[in-house]
Amino acid sequence: MDISIIIVNWNTKDNLLNCLESIFKHLRNINGEVIVVDNGSKDGSIEALKIYYPSVRLIENKSNLGFAKAVNQGLRKAQAKYILLLNPDTQIKDNTVKKLINFMQVNPETGIAGAHLLNVDGSKQNSIANFPSLATELLNKRLLRWLFPNRFLGKEKNYSEPIEVDSVIGACMMLRCEAIEKAGMMDEDYFLFFEETDLCYRVKKAGFKVYHVPEAEAIHFQGKSIEREKKRAKVEYYRSRYLFFRKHRGRWQELILRIGLLVRLVIEEISMFLACLFTLFSITKWRKRFSIYSYLLWWHLKGCPEGMGLKQ
């Protein structure tokens, strides 16, 4: 078998069906399997999957176990040499899978290869990420990419050839099973966010390389599964950020990060409150932003409990 495609789904039925349509449309002449791990969806995802795509291997979880744990369930069932992790809010383009497989075959030192992510209108998304540091998390990432383009890679630059990177965005990335065997599977301490960053970090530590492959393209609708849970999703983003620092940067850097982000949150909260007050709270997006900042600040002041995020 050439490829095992693993999709973790949580209440994104329509996106999932569109994703699967794009997969089977472009999997001609490729011997592969598709594994969907459903994290307790309540929107009819499982019923639709059984009707329209009965050949898909389905793992049904009773509740949301988190992305990393669900991926690992799929990895244990996968039978191919290469694994494609694909978000349900993506649609792959012509020959995307074949191009990634070919790249992995020609470059055996590559442990992970990520696709070039696009918006629906064809504009570029960030497909590359530096490993988190105090600079990337406390300073403006766009400014860093502008000032130091060779150190901080991003969508501002066009890449015509594959390029070695720290990590790739996990919406569409291919794994070599040998690399996963040496580096380990997804770290299940992460519930959502930074799982792929952590995996890329460990894969590189195990002696493999991580590449961005620009000719392999996928449309990414970005964050559809958490659109209705923005506050709690933001909490998970902060929690995962702190976890990465604790595991790979040490306690002192984690403490500096926590203080720096808390100070920034207070400033953003005050600024947004004044903006809302000046406009009599008439601008919806500012009210929502103020609400999110307030929620995050309250979460920090309560000691960062798990119950306020997506992980229950």
Side-chain angles (χ1 to χ4, degrees):
M1 189 171 289
D2 299 317
I3 184 75
S4 294
I5 300 176
I6 298 175
I7 303 170
V8 176
N9 179 65
W10 181 55
N11 293 320
T12 58
K13 180 183 72 173
D14 293 338
N15 281 291
L16 175 63
L17 294 178
N18 291 332
C19 176
L20 290 169
E21 182 182 3
S22 76
I23 290 172
F24 287 106
K25 178 180 177 182
H26 299 305
L27 268 189
R28 295 183 298 269
N29 303 319
I30 298 177
N31 181 23
E33 64 175 352
V34 179
I35 302 170
V36 172
V37 185
D38 187 85
N39 263 339
S41 294
K42 306 298 183 185
D43 66 342
S45 292
I46 292 175
E47 293 79 5
L49 194 60
K50 290 178 178 178
I51 292 171
Y52 295 108
Y53 294 99
S55 64
V56 167
R57 300 179 66 188
L58 176 62
I59 298 174
E60 298 181 48
N61 292 323
K62 300 298 183 183
S63 60
N64 189 354
L65 302 182
F67 182 77
K69 188 171 287 188
V71 167
N72 288 346
Q73 287 178 303
L75 288 174
R76 294 186 188 99
K77 296 288 185 181
Q79 302 178 54
K81 181 179 179 181
Y82 303 113
I83 311 292
L84 181 67
L85 299 185
L86 199 60
N87 280 10
D89 59 352
T90 58
Q91 294 178 23
I92 57 174
K93 301 186 78 173
D94 242 355
N95 294 320
T96 295
V97 175
K98 190 65 176 176
K99 287 172 181 175
L100 288 173
I101 291 175
N102 289 343
F103 182 82
M104 298 290 267
Q105 290 175 334
V106 174
N107 300 276
E109 76 284 0
T110 302
I112 296 177
H116 184 43
L117 303 176
L118 303 171
N119 293 307
V120 181
D121 61 3
S123 59
K124 295 185 291 184
Q125 287 183 18
N126 278 324
S127 306
I128 305 166
N130 286 90
F131 290 135
S133 65
L134 291 175
T136 64
E137 303 312 301
L138 295 178
L139 301 177
N140 186 284
K141 290 184 175 68
R142 288 185 181 178
L143 180 61
L144 289 174
R145 293 197 295 263
W146 182 72
L147 290 173
F148 310 103
N150 294 325
R151 173 67 186 91
F152 298 96
L153 307 176
K155 65 181 181 181
E156 293 82 3
K157 189 174 180 180
N158 292 318
Y159 303 100
S160 57
E161 299 292 333
I163 181 172
E164 186 178 359
V165 296
D166 279 354
S167 67
V168 294
I169 305 302
C172 180
M173 71 177 191
M174 187 166 287
L175 316 176
R176 184 184 301 274
C177 282
E178 180 188 353
I180 303 307
E181 288 169 1
K182 290 186 178 180
M185 294 192 291
M186 288 271 185
D187 187 337
E188 296 181 8
D189 287 343
Y190 297 91
F191 189 79
L192 188 65
F193 303 116
F194 285 86
E195 312 93 336
E196 77 272 34
T197 309
D198 182 275
L199 183 62
C200 287
Y201 189 90
R202 289 185 287 112
V203 162
K204 296 196 82 163
K205 286 286 187 182
F208 292 88
K209 295 180 179 181
V210 176
Y211 273 88
H212 167 60
V213 184
E215 65 174 5
E217 296 181 332
I219 298 171
H220 184 209
F221 293 84
Q222 260 188 322
K224 293 299 181 182
S225 62
I226 59 173
E227 204 168 65
R228 296 181 299 275
E229 301 283 357
K230 284 186 178 180
K231 289 181 183 178
R232 296 199 295 152
K234 279 286 187 180
V235 164
E236 293 301 338
Y237 184 79
Y238 272 71
R239 190 202 315 280
S240 294
R241 197 157 32 169
Y242 295 150
L243 180 58
F244 183 92
F245 269 71
R246 190 179 316 138
K247 287 177 175 288
H248 302 299
R249 301 300 188 202
R251 288 285 186 176
W252 278 109
Q253 285 201 41
E254 183 198 355
L255 179 61
I256 294 170
L257 177 70
R258 284 178 178 268
I259 294 171
L261 289 179
L262 188 56
V263 169
R264 193 164 75 183
L265 263 177
V266 171
I267 294 171
E268 289 170 337
E269 167 85 346
I270 294 172
S271 301
M272 194 51 57
F273 173 74
L274 292 174
C276 288
L277 191 64
F278 182 74
T279 58
L280 301 177
F281 289 84
S282 61
I283 301 178
T284 302
K285 68 176 181 179
W286 288 5
R287 291 201 312 270
K288 289 181 177 179
R289 197 174 298 171
F290 174 67
S291 178
I292 290 172
Y293 291 153
S294 299
Y295 192 82
L296 285 170
L297 190 56
W298 180 237
W299 176 70
H300 278 88
L301 293 175
K302 289 192 72 173
C304 305
E306 289 195 351
M308 291 178 68
L310 294 170
K311 185 178 182 181
Q312 300 298 312

